[in-house]
Amino acid sequence: MATYGDGGLERQNQFTEEIRKFLEEATDDNEEFIFPEKIAKLKQEGRRRLLVDMADIRRHDDGKLEKAVRMAPTEYIGAFEEALTDAIKNEDPTYFKDGEGAHVGFEGQFGFHRVTPRELLSPFLGKLVQVEGIVTKCSVVRPKLVRSVHYKPGTDQLTSKDYRDITSFNGAPTPASIPTQDEDGQPMQIEYGKCVYKDHQSLVIQEMPESAPPGQLPRSVEVVVEEDLVDTAKPGDRVQLVGVYRPVPTAAGSTSGVYRTLLVGNTVRTIGGRVNAPNITEKDVQLMKQIVRRDDALAYMGSALAPSICGHQNVKEAILLLLAGGVEKTLKNKTHLRGDINMLMVGDPSVAKSQLLRMVMNISPLSVSTTGRGSSGVGLTAAVTTDAETGDRQLEAGAMVLADRGIVCIDEFDKM
């Protein structure tokens, strides 16, 4: 049972009743009830997380509930989970084990609450946001204590204590210390086998290279996911994540007013290798057809690439072929043939090698730049790093993983 402050329980009961009414009365465009069928499918598949479309919430009571969920998710997520748990238990009291409950995830359109890690600023603290980016780090999955069970020697009595932290939506955080004595000062022993745990994992989401402003480093945000959301993404995956942006309290006695922030994950969805494709108009298509009909199409386009750099016609044509790429094939015996074209530019100093690389980065919808001086052959793919706070080993994606289905520009390759 979640605990709340003075007056908080009554307020939470109002939210839960509002959500219970929404789950019972929400209809789609065809005036058919939405959630009874979804809940039945959830039970059939043995899942515990129900995905709720923001459009369904927006359709209810003229969007008032949808705005409240976006602006005050810490109050409504707990109400959603309590109402959903009660609805499932009314139909099947044995569906959940002791200490378990249902979870809710949100999807759909979030309006101006859809942001990049660079746009996650202080006005979004405490709000529900949707963030797209690339997973660059993943920690190992560890168990987190949810409820401890203690045995009192000589009395054969068992007592329990619930724990909540900054990622919990079911009340205020509790002290993390495990009690060794009861209220009367009698010693207690913790029974680890009877304690309740849940899976816990931290990720780092970095803004996509094509979304970062030119000349600036991509921004990142730390994400915490738990239970069924762990191991849903790996380094290099492009994900769309919905969560609550929260500040993390500083250490006791700290006089600094600067807080560390993180996202408490609510929904994680892999979006594949989608990149920002150029917007091609009808006029662009007509110009392309005119160029195709030319006998010197390759030479014509090569002269248009990096026009500020004189000469190097053969190099420019090779770069064009690299940008176009080859044909990717999968043979009958399942052998996969890559269509990627690799190019190595070798030349004297000051002959515009780096400038041509920059031109490629400006043209390609997805490109990542790195240097041979600052990376190793292994570091281009992945690297194992140590977390400065916890000391855990983490897998960090390299430049070639971040630029999947794009182009990696490596300057000073001989220094690697």
Side-chain angles (χ1 to χ4, degrees), residues 280-365:
I280 300 177
T281 63
E282 186 65 29
K283 184 177 180 181
D284 294 331
V285 175
Q286 294 177 1
L287 292 174
M288 291 178 189
K289 292 180 178 179
Q290 292 179 11
I291 295 175
V292 169
R293 287 192 289 265
R294 296 175 62 110
D295 295 333
D296 59 342
L298 183 60
Y300 176 76
M301 290 189 294
S303 61
L305 177 70
S308 60
I309 300 174
C310 298
H312 300 309
Q313 184 66 22
N314 292 336
V315 177
K316 293 181 180 181
E317 292 178 5
I319 290 176
L320 278 175
L321 296 176
L322 179 144
L323 288 170
V327 179
E328 193 172 358
K329 296 180 181 179
T330 301
L331 304 181
K332 293 182 179 180
N333 59 358
K334 306 299 181 181
T335 302
H336 182 72
L337 301 180
R338 294 176 295 174
D340 305 322
I341 298 176
N342 300 320
M343 179 177 175
L344 176 65
M345 285 192 293
V346 182
D348 295 328
S350 300
V351 292
K353 298 189 299 295
S354 297
Q355 294 298 323
L356 287 171
L357 275 183
R358 293 182 182 179
M359 289 293 179
V360 173
M361 291 182 59
N362 293 333
I363 294 173
S364 174

Coordinates of all heavy atoms in Angstrom, one line a residue, residues 280-365:
I280 N 12.1 16.3 -50.6 CA 12.3 16.4 -52.1 C 11.0 16.9 -52.7 O 9.9 16.3 -52.5 CB 12.7 15.1 -52.7 CG1 14.1 14.6 -52.1 CG2 12.8 15.2 -54.2 CD1 14.5 13.3 -52.5
T281 N 11.1 18.0 -53.4 CA 9.9 18.6 -54.0 C 9.7 18.1 -55.5 O 10.6 17.4 -56.0 CB 9.9 20.1 -54.0 OG1 11.1 20.5 -54.8 CG2 10.1 20.6 -52.6
E282 N 8.6 18.4 -56.1 CA 8.4 18.0 -57.5 C 9.5 18.7 -58.4 O 9.9 18.1 -59.4 CB 7.0 18.4 -57.9 CG 6.6 18.0 -59.3 CD 6.5 16.4 -59.4 OE1 6.2 15.8 -58.4 OE2 6.8 15.9 -60.5
K283 N 9.8 19.9 -58.1 CA 10.9 20.6 -58.9 C 12.2 19.9 -58.8 O 12.9 19.8 -59.8 CB 11.0 22.0 -58.4 CG 11.9 22.9 -59.3 CD 12.0 24.3 -58.8 CE 12.9 25.1 -59.7 NZ 13.0 26.5 -59.2
D284 N 12.5 19.4 -57.6 CA 13.8 18.6 -57.4 C 13.8 17.4 -58.3 O 14.8 17.0 -58.9 CB 14.0 18.3 -55.9 CG 14.2 19.5 -55.1 OD1 14.7 20.5 -55.6 OD2 13.8 19.4 -53.9
V285 N 12.7 16.7 -58.4 CA 12.6 15.5 -59.2 C 12.8 15.8 -60.6 O 13.5 15.1 -61.4 CB 11.2 14.8 -58.9 CG1 11.1 13.6 -59.9 CG2 11.0 14.4 -57.5
Q286 N 12.2 16.9 -61.1 CA 12.4 17.3 -62.5 C 13.9 17.6 -62.8 O 14.4 17.2 -63.9 CB 11.6 18.5 -62.8 CG 10.1 18.2 -62.8 CD 9.2 19.5 -63.0 OE1 9.8 20.5 -63.3 NE2 7.9 19.3 -62.9
L287 N 14.6 18.3 -61.9 CA 16.0 18.6 -62.1 C 16.8 17.3 -62.1 O 17.8 17.2 -62.8 CB 16.5 19.5 -61.0 CG 15.9 21.0 -61.0 CD1 16.3 21.8 -59.8 CD2 16.3 21.7 -62.3
M288 N 16.5 16.4 -61.2 CA 17.2 15.1 -61.2 C 17.1 14.4 -62.5 O 18.0 13.8 -63.0 CB 16.6 14.2 -60.1 CG 16.9 14.7 -58.7 SD 16.2 13.6 -57.4 CE 16.5 14.5 -55.9
K289 N 15.9 14.4 -63.1 CA 15.7 13.7 -64.4 C 16.5 14.4 -65.5 O 17.0 13.7 -66.4 CB 14.2 13.7 -64.7 CG 13.4 12.8 -63.8 CD 11.9 12.8 -64.2 CE 11.1 11.9 -63.3 NZ 9.6 11.9 -63.7
Q290 N 16.6 15.7 -65.4 CA 17.4 16.4 -66.4 C 18.9 16.0 -66.3 O 19.6 15.8 -67.3 CB 17.3 17.9 -66.2 CG 15.9 18.4 -66.6 CD 15.8 19.9 -66.3 OE1 16.8 20.6 -66.2 NE2 14.6 20.5 -66.4
I291 N 19.4 15.9 -65.0 CA 20.8 15.5 -64.8 C 21.0 14.1 -65.3 O 22.1 13.7 -65.9 CB 21.2 15.7 -63.4 CG1 21.1 17.1 -63.0 CG2 22.6 15.1 -63.1 CD1 21.4 17.4 -61.5
V292 N 20.1 13.1 -65.1 CA 20.3 11.7 -65.5 C 20.4 11.6 -67.0 O 21.1 10.7 -67.5 CB 19.1 10.9 -64.9 CG1 19.0 9.5 -65.6 CG2 19.1 10.8 -63.4
R293 N 19.7 12.5 -67.7 CA 19.8 12.4 -69.2 C 21.1 12.9 -69.8 O 21.3 12.7 -71.0 CB 18.6 13.1 -69.8 CG 17.2 12.4 -69.6 CD 16.2 13.0 -70.5 NE 15.8 14.4 -70.0 CZ 14.7 14.6 -69.2 NH1 14.0 13.5 -68.7 NH2 14.4 15.8 -68.7
R294 N 21.9 13.5 -69.0 CA 23.2 14.0 -69.5 C 24.2 12.9 -69.6 O 24.2 12.0 -68.8 CB 23.8 15.1 -68.5 CG 22.9 16.4 -68.4 CD 23.5 17.2 -67.3 NE 24.9 17.7 -67.6 CZ 25.2 18.9 -68.0 NH1 24.3 19.8 -68.0 NH2 26.4 19.2 -68.3
D295 N 25.0 13.0 -70.6 CA 26.1 12.0 -70.8 C 27.2 12.1 -69.8 O 27.9 11.2 -69.5 CB 26.7 12.1 -72.2 CG 25.7 11.8 -73.3 OD1 24.7 11.0 -73.0 OD2 25.8 12.3 -74.4
D296 N 27.4 13.4 -69.3 CA 28.5 13.6 -68.3 C 27.9 13.8 -66.9 O 28.3 14.7 -66.2 CB 29.3 14.8 -68.7 CG 28.4 16.1 -68.9 OD1 27.2 15.9 -69.0 OD2 29.0 17.2 -68.9
A297 N 26.9 13.0 -66.6 CA 26.2 13.3 -65.3 C 27.1 13.2 -64.1 O 27.1 14.0 -63.2 CB 25.1 12.2 -65.1
L298 N 28.0 12.2 -64.1 CA 28.9 12.0 -62.9 C 29.9 13.2 -62.8 O 30.1 13.7 -61.7 CB 29.7 10.7 -63.0 CG 30.6 10.3 -61.8 CD1 29.8 10.3 -60.5 CD2 31.3 9.0 -62.1
A299 N 30.5 13.6 -64.0 CA 31.4 14.7 -64.0 C 30.7 16.0 -63.6 O 31.3 16.8 -62.9 CB 32.1 14.8 -65.3
Y300 N 29.5 16.2 -64.1 CA 28.7 17.4 -63.8 C 28.4 17.5 -62.3 O 28.6 18.6 -61.7 CB 27.4 17.3 -64.6 CG 26.5 18.5 -64.3 CD1 26.7 19.8 -64.8 CD2 25.3 18.3 -63.5 CE1 25.9 20.8 -64.5 CE2 24.5 19.4 -63.3 CZ 24.8 20.6 -63.8 OH 23.9 21.7 -63.5
M301 N 28.0 16.4 -61.7 CA 27.7 16.4 -60.2 C 29.0 16.5 -59.4 O 29.0 17.2 -58.4 CB 26.9 15.2 -59.8 CG 25.5 15.2 -60.3 SD 24.5 13.8 -59.6 CE 25.4 12.4 -60.3
G302 N 30.1 15.9 -59.9 CA 31.4 16.0 -59.2 C 31.9 17.5 -59.2 O 32.4 17.9 -58.1
S303 N 31.7 18.2 -60.3 CA 32.1 19.6 -60.2 C 31.3 20.5 -59.3 O 31.7 21.5 -58.8 CB 32.0 20.2 -61.7 OG 30.7 20.2 -62.2
A304 N 30.0 20.0 -59.0 CA 29.2 20.8 -58.1 C 29.4 20.4 -56.6 O 29.0 21.2 -55.7 CB 27.7 20.5 -58.4
L305 N 30.2 19.4 -56.4 CA 30.6 19.0 -55.0 C 31.8 19.8 -54.5 O 32.8 19.8 -55.2 CB 30.9 17.5 -54.9 CG 31.3 17.0 -53.5 CD1 30.2 17.0 -52.6 CD2 31.9 15.6 -53.7
A306 N 31.6 20.5 -53.4 CA 32.7 21.4 -52.9 C 33.3 22.3 -54.0 O 34.4 22.2 -54.3 CB 33.8 20.5 -52.3
P307 N 32.4 23.2 -54.5 CA 32.9 24.0 -55.6 C 34.0 25.0 -55.2 O 34.8 25.5 -56.0 CB 31.7 24.8 -56.1 CG 30.8 24.8 -54.9 CD 31.0 23.5 -54.2
S308 N 34.2 25.2 -53.9 CA 35.2 26.2 -53.4 C 36.6 25.5 -53.5 O 37.6 26.2 -53.3 CB 34.9 26.6 -52.0 OG 34.9 25.5 -51.1
I309 N 36.7 24.2 -53.7 CA 37.9 23.5 -53.8 C 38.2 23.2 -55.3 O 37.4 22.5 -55.9 CB 37.9 22.2 -53.0 CG1 37.6 22.5 -51.5 CG2 39.2 21.4 -53.1 CD1 37.4 21.3 -50.7
C310 N 39.3 23.7 -55.8 CA 39.6 23.6 -57.2 C 40.3 22.2 -57.4 O 41.0 21.7 -56.6 CB 40.6 24.7 -57.7 SG 39.9 26.3 -57.5
G311 N 40.0 21.6 -58.6 CA 40.6 20.4 -59.0 C 40.0 19.2 -58.2 O 38.9 19.2 -57.8
H312 N 40.8 18.1 -58.1 CA 40.4 16.9 -57.4 C 39.1 16.3 -58.0 O 38.3 15.8 -57.3 CB 40.2 17.1 -55.9 CG 41.5 17.6 -55.2 ND1 42.7 17.0 -55.3 CD2 41.6 18.7 -54.4 CE1 43.6 17.6 -54.6 NE2 43.0 18.7 -54.0
Q313 N 39.0 16.4 -59.4 CA 37.8 15.9 -60.0 C 37.5 14.4 -59.7 O 36.4 14.0 -59.4 CB 37.8 16.2 -61.5 CG 36.5 15.8 -62.2 CD 35.4 16.7 -61.8 OE1 35.5 17.8 -61.3 NE2 34.1 16.2 -62.1
N314 N 38.6 13.6 -59.8 CA 38.5 12.2 -59.6 C 38.1 11.9 -58.2 O 37.3 11.0 -57.9 CB 39.8 11.4 -60.0 CG 40.1 11.5 -61.4 OD1 39.1 11.6 -62.3 ND2 41.3 11.3 -61.8
V315 N 38.6 12.6 -57.2 CA 38.3 12.4 -55.8 C 36.9 12.8 -55.6 O 36.1 12.1 -54.8 CB 39.3 13.3 -54.9 CG1 38.9 13.1 -53.4 CG2 40.7 12.8 -55.1
K316 N 36.4 13.9 -56.1 CA 35.0 14.3 -55.9 C 34.0 13.3 -56.5 O 33.0 13.0 -55.9 CB 34.8 15.7 -56.6 CG 35.5 16.8 -55.9 CD 35.3 18.1 -56.6 CE 36.0 19.3 -55.9 NZ 35.7 20.6 -56.5
E317 N 34.4 12.7 -57.7 CA 33.5 11.7 -58.2 C 33.4 10.4 -57.4 O 32.4 9.8 -57.2 CB 34.0 11.4 -59.7 CG 33.8 12.5 -60.7 CD 34.3 12.2 -62.0 OE1 34.7 11.0 -62.2 OE2 34.3 13.1 -62.9
A318 N 34.6 10.1 -56.8 CA 34.6 8.9 -55.9 C 33.8 9.2 -54.6 O 33.1 8.3 -54.1 CB 36.1 8.6 -55.5
I319 N 33.8 10.4 -54.1 CA 33.0 10.8 -53.0 C 31.5 10.7 -53.3 O 30.7 10.2 -52.5 CB 33.3 12.2 -52.5 CG1 34.7 12.2 -51.8 CG2 32.3 12.7 -51.5 CD1 35.2 13.5 -51.4
L320 N 31.1 11.1 -54.5 CA 29.7 11.0 -54.9 C 29.3 9.5 -55.0 O 28.2 9.2 -54.5 CB 29.5 11.6 -56.3 CG 29.4 13.1 -56.4 CD1 29.3 13.5 -57.8 CD2 28.1 13.5 -55.7
L321 N 30.1 8.6 -55.5 CA 29.8 7.2 -55.5 C 29.7 6.6 -54.1 O 28.8 5.8 -53.8 CB 30.8 6.4 -56.3 CG 31.0 6.8 -57.8 CD1 32.1 6.0 -58.4 CD2 29.7 6.5 -58.5
L322 N 30.5 7.1 -53.2 CA 30.4 6.7 -51.8 C 29.1 7.1 -51.2 O 28.5 6.4 -50.4 CB 31.6 7.3 -51.0 CG 31.7 7.0 -49.5 CD1 33.2 6.8 -49.1 CD2 31.1 8.1 -48.7
L323 N 28.7 8.4 -51.4 CA 27.5 8.9 -50.9 C 26.3 8.1 -51.4 O 25.3 7.9 -50.7 CB 27.3 10.4 -51.2 CG 28.2 11.3 -50.4 CD1 28.2 12.8 -51.0 CD2 27.9 11.4 -49.0
A324 N 26.3 7.7 -52.7 CA 25.2 7.0 -53.3 C 25.2 5.6 -52.7 O 24.1 5.0 -52.5 CB 25.3 7.0 -54.8
G325 N 26.4 5.0 -52.5 CA 26.5 3.6 -52.0 C 26.2 2.6 -53.0 O 25.8 2.8 -54.2
G326 N 26.5 1.3 -52.7 CA 26.3 0.2 -53.6 C 25.0 -0.5 -53.4 O 24.0 0.1 -52.8
V327 N 24.8 -1.7 -53.9 CA 23.6 -2.4 -53.8 C 23.7 -3.5 -52.7 O 24.7 -4.3 -52.8 CB 23.2 -3.1 -55.1 CG1 21.9 -3.9 -55.0 CG2 23.0 -2.0 -56.2
E328 N 22.9 -3.5 -51.7 CA 22.9 -4.5 -50.6 C 22.2 -5.7 -51.1 O 21.1 -5.7 -51.6 CB 22.3 -3.9 -49.4 CG 22.6 -4.6 -48.1 CD 22.0 -3.9 -46.9 OE1 21.5 -2.8 -47.1 OE2 22.1 -4.4 -45.8
K329 N 22.9 -6.9 -50.9 CA 22.3 -8.1 -51.4 C 22.3 -9.2 -50.3 O 23.1 -9.2 -49.4 CB 23.1 -8.7 -52.6 CG 23.1 -7.8 -53.8 CD 23.9 -8.4 -54.9 CE 23.9 -7.5 -56.2 NZ 24.7 -8.1 -57.3
T330 N 21.3 -10.1 -50.4 CA 21.2 -11.3 -49.5 C 21.1 -12.5 -50.4 O 20.0 -12.6 -51.1 CB 20.1 -11.2 -48.5 OG1 20.2 -10.0 -47.7 CG2 20.1 -12.4 -47.6
L331 N 22.1 -13.3 -50.5 CA 22.0 -14.5 -51.4 C 21.1 -15.5 -50.9 O 20.5 -15.5 -49.8 CB 23.4 -15.0 -51.5 CG 24.5 -14.0 -52.0 CD1 25.9 -14.7 -52.1 CD2 24.1 -13.4 -53.3
K332 N 20.9 -16.5 -51.8 CA 19.9 -17.6 -51.4 C 20.4 -18.4 -50.2 O 19.6 -18.9 -49.4 CB 19.7 -18.5 -52.6 CG 19.0 -17.9 -53.8 CD 18.8 -18.9 -54.9 CE 18.1 -18.2 -56.1 NZ 17.9 -19.2 -57.2
N333 N 21.7 -18.5 -50.0 CA 22.2 -19.2 -48.8 C 22.3 -18.3 -47.6 O 23.0 -18.7 -46.6 CB 23.6 -19.8 -49.1 CG 24.6 -18.8 -49.5 OD1 24.3 -17.6 -49.6 ND2 25.8 -19.2 -49.8
K334 N 21.6 -17.2 -47.6 CA 21.5 -16.3 -46.5 C 22.8 -15.5 -46.3 O 22.9 -14.8 -45.2 CB 21.1 -17.0 -45.2 CG 19.9 -17.8 -45.3 CD 18.7 -16.9 -45.6 CE 17.4 -17.8 -45.7 NZ 16.2 -17.0 -46.0
T335 N 23.7 -15.5 -47.2 CA 24.9 -14.7 -47.1 C 24.6 -13.3 -47.4 O 24.0 -13.0 -48.4 CB 26.0 -15.2 -48.1 OG1 26.3 -16.6 -47.8 CG2 27.3 -14.4 -47.9
H336 N 25.0 -12.4 -46.5 CA 24.7 -11.0 -46.7 C 25.9 -10.2 -47.2 O 27.0 -10.3 -46.7 CB 24.3 -10.4 -45.3 CG 23.9 -8.9 -45.4 ND1 22.7 -8.5 -45.9 CD2 24.6 -7.8 -45.0 CE1 22.7 -7.2 -45.9 NE2 23.8 -6.7 -45.3
L337 N 25.7 -9.5 -48.3 CA 26.7 -8.7 -49.0 C 26.4 -7.2 -48.8 O 25.4 -6.8 -49.2 CB 26.8 -9.0 -50.5 CG 27.1 -10.5 -50.9 CD1 27.1 -10.6 -52.4 CD2 28.4 -11.0 -50.3
R338 N 27.3 -6.6 -48.1 CA 27.1 -5.1 -47.8 C 27.3 -4.3 -49.1 O 28.2 -4.6 -49.9 CB 28.1 -4.7 -46.8 CG 27.9 -5.3 -45.4 CD 28.9 -4.8 -44.4 NE 30.2 -5.3 -44.8 CZ 31.4 -5.0 -44.2 NH1 31.3 -4.2 -43.2 NH2 32.5 -5.5 -44.6
G339 N 26.5 -3.3 -49.2 CA 26.7 -2.4 -50.3 C 27.5 -1.1 -50.0 O 27.5 -0.2 -50.8
D340 N 28.1 -1.1 -48.8 CA 28.8 0.1 -48.4 C 30.1 0.3 -49.2 O 30.8 -0.7 -49.5 CB 29.1 0.1 -46.9 CG 27.9 -0.1 -46.1 OD1 26.8 0.5 -46.5 OD2 27.9 -0.8 -45.1
I341 N 30.5 1.5 -49.5 CA 31.7 1.8 -50.2 C 32.7 2.5 -49.2 O 32.3 3.5 -48.6 CB 31.5 2.7 -51.5 CG1 30.6 1.9 -52.5 CG2 32.8 3.1 -52.1 CD1 30.2 2.7 -53.7
N342 N 33.9 2.0 -49.1 CA 34.9 2.6 -48.2 C 35.9 3.4 -49.1 O 36.2 3.0 -50.2 CB 35.6 1.6 -47.4 CG 34.7 0.8 -46.5 OD1 33.8 1.4 -45.9 ND2 34.9 -0.5 -46.4
M343 N 36.4 4.5 -48.6 CA 37.3 5.4 -49.4 C 38.4 5.9 -48.5 O 38.2 6.3 -47.3 CB 36.5 6.6 -49.9 CG 37.3 7.5 -50.7 SD 36.3 8.9 -51.4 CE 37.6 9.9 -52.1
L344 N 39.6 5.8 -49.0 CA 40.8 6.2 -48.2 C 41.5 7.3 -49.1 O 41.9 7.1 -50.2 CB 41.8 5.1 -48.0 CG 43.1 5.5 -47.3 CD1 42.9 6.0 -45.9 CD2 44.0 4.3 -47.3
M345 N 41.5 8.5 -48.5 CA 42.2 9.7 -49.2 C 43.6 9.8 -48.6 O 43.7 10.0 -47.4 CB 41.4 11.0 -49.0 CG 40.1 11.0 -49.8 SD 39.3 12.7 -49.9 CE 38.8 12.8 -48.2
V346 N 44.6 9.7 -49.5 CA 46.0 9.9 -49.1 C 46.6 11.1 -49.9 O 46.4 11.1 -51.2 CB 46.8 8.6 -49.4 CG1 48.2 8.8 -48.9 CG2 46.1 7.4 -48.6
G347 N 47.3 12.0 -49.3 CA 47.8 13.1 -50.0 C 48.7 13.9 -49.2 O 48.9 13.7 -47.9
D348 N 49.4 14.9 -49.8 CA 50.3 15.8 -49.1 C 49.5 16.7 -48.1 O 48.3 16.9 -48.3 CB 51.1 16.7 -50.1 CG 52.0 15.9 -50.9 OD1 52.5 14.8 -50.4 OD2 52.2 16.2 -52.1
P349 N 50.1 17.3 -47.2 CA 49.4 18.3 -46.3 C 48.8 19.5 -47.1 O 49.4 19.9 -48.1 CB 50.5 18.7 -45.3 CG 51.5 17.7 -45.3 CD 51.5 17.1 -46.7
S350 N 47.7 20.0 -46.6 CA 47.1 21.2 -47.2 C 46.6 21.0 -48.6 O 46.8 21.9 -49.5 CB 48.1 22.4 -47.1 OG 48.4 22.7 -45.8
V351 N 46.1 19.8 -48.9 CA 45.4 19.6 -50.2 C 43.9 19.4 -50.1 O 43.3 18.8 -50.9 CB 46.1 18.5 -51.0 CG1 47.5 18.8 -51.4 CG2 46.0 17.2 -50.2
A352 N 43.4 19.9 -49.0 CA 41.9 19.9 -48.8 C 41.3 18.6 -48.4 O 40.1 18.4 -48.7 CB 41.2 20.6 -50.0
K353 N 42.1 17.7 -47.8 CA 41.5 16.4 -47.5 C 40.4 16.6 -46.4 O 39.3 16.1 -46.4 CB 42.6 15.4 -47.0 CG 43.6 15.1 -48.0 CD 44.5 14.0 -47.6 CE 45.3 14.4 -46.3 NZ 46.3 15.5 -46.6
S354 N 40.7 17.4 -45.3 CA 39.8 17.6 -44.2 C 38.6 18.4 -44.7 O 37.5 18.2 -44.2 CB 40.5 18.3 -43.1 OG 41.6 17.5 -42.5
Q355 N 38.8 19.3 -45.6 CA 37.7 20.1 -46.1 C 36.7 19.3 -46.9 O 35.5 19.4 -46.8 CB 38.2 21.3 -47.0 CG 39.1 22.3 -46.3 CD 38.2 23.0 -45.2 OE1 37.1 23.3 -45.4 NE2 38.9 23.3 -44.1
L356 N 37.2 18.3 -47.7 CA 36.3 17.4 -48.4 C 35.5 16.5 -47.4 O 34.4 16.2 -47.6 CB 37.1 16.5 -49.3 CG 37.7 17.2 -50.6 CD1 38.6 16.3 -51.3 CD2 36.5 17.6 -51.5
L357 N 36.2 16.1 -46.3 CA 35.5 15.4 -45.2 C 34.3 16.2 -44.7 O 33.2 15.7 -44.4 CB 36.4 15.0 -44.1 CG 37.3 13.7 -44.3 CD1 38.1 13.5 -43.0 CD2 36.4 12.5 -44.6
R358 N 34.6 17.5 -44.4 CA 33.5 18.4 -43.9 C 32.4 18.5 -44.9 O 31.2 18.6 -44.5 CB 34.1 19.7 -43.5 CG 35.1 19.7 -42.3 CD 35.6 21.0 -42.0 NE 36.6 20.9 -40.9 CZ 37.2 22.0 -40.4 NH1 37.0 23.2 -40.9 NH2 38.1 21.8 -39.4
M359 N 32.7 18.6 -46.1 CA 31.6 18.7 -47.1 C 30.7 17.4 -47.1 O 29.5 17.5 -47.2 CB 32.3 18.8 -48.5 CG 32.9 20.2 -48.8 SD 31.6 21.5 -48.8 CE 32.7 23.0 -49.0
V360 N 31.4 16.2 -46.9 CA 30.6 15.0 -46.9 C 29.7 15.1 -45.6 O 28.5 14.6 -45.7 CB 31.5 13.8 -46.8 CG1 30.8 12.5 -46.5 CG2 32.3 13.7 -48.1
M361 N 30.2 15.6 -44.5 CA 29.4 15.6 -43.3 C 28.2 16.6 -43.5 O 27.1 16.3 -43.0 CB 30.2 16.1 -42.1 CG 31.3 15.1 -41.7 SD 32.2 15.7 -40.2 CE 30.8 16.0 -39.1
N362 N 28.4 17.7 -44.2 CA 27.3 18.6 -44.5 C 26.2 18.0 -45.4 O 25.1 18.4 -45.3 CB 27.8 19.9 -45.0 CG 28.7 20.7 -44.0 OD1 28.5 20.5 -42.8 ND2 29.6 21.5 -44.5
I363 N 26.6 17.1 -46.3 CA 25.7 16.6 -47.3 C 24.9 15.4 -46.8 O 23.7 15.3 -47.0 CB 26.4 16.2 -48.6 CG1 27.0 17.5 -49.3 CG2 25.5 15.5 -49.6 CD1 27.9 17.2 -50.5
S364 N 25.6 14.5 -46.1 CA 25.0 13.3 -45.6 C 23.9 13.5 -44.5 O 24.2 14.3 -43.6 CB 26.1 12.3 -45.1 OG 25.5 11.2 -44.5
P365 N 22.8 12.9 -44.6 CA 21.7 13.1 -43.6 C 22.2 12.5 -42.2 O 21.8 13.0 -41.2 CB 20.5 12.3 -44.1 CG 20.8 12.1 -45.6 CD 22.2 12.1 -45.8

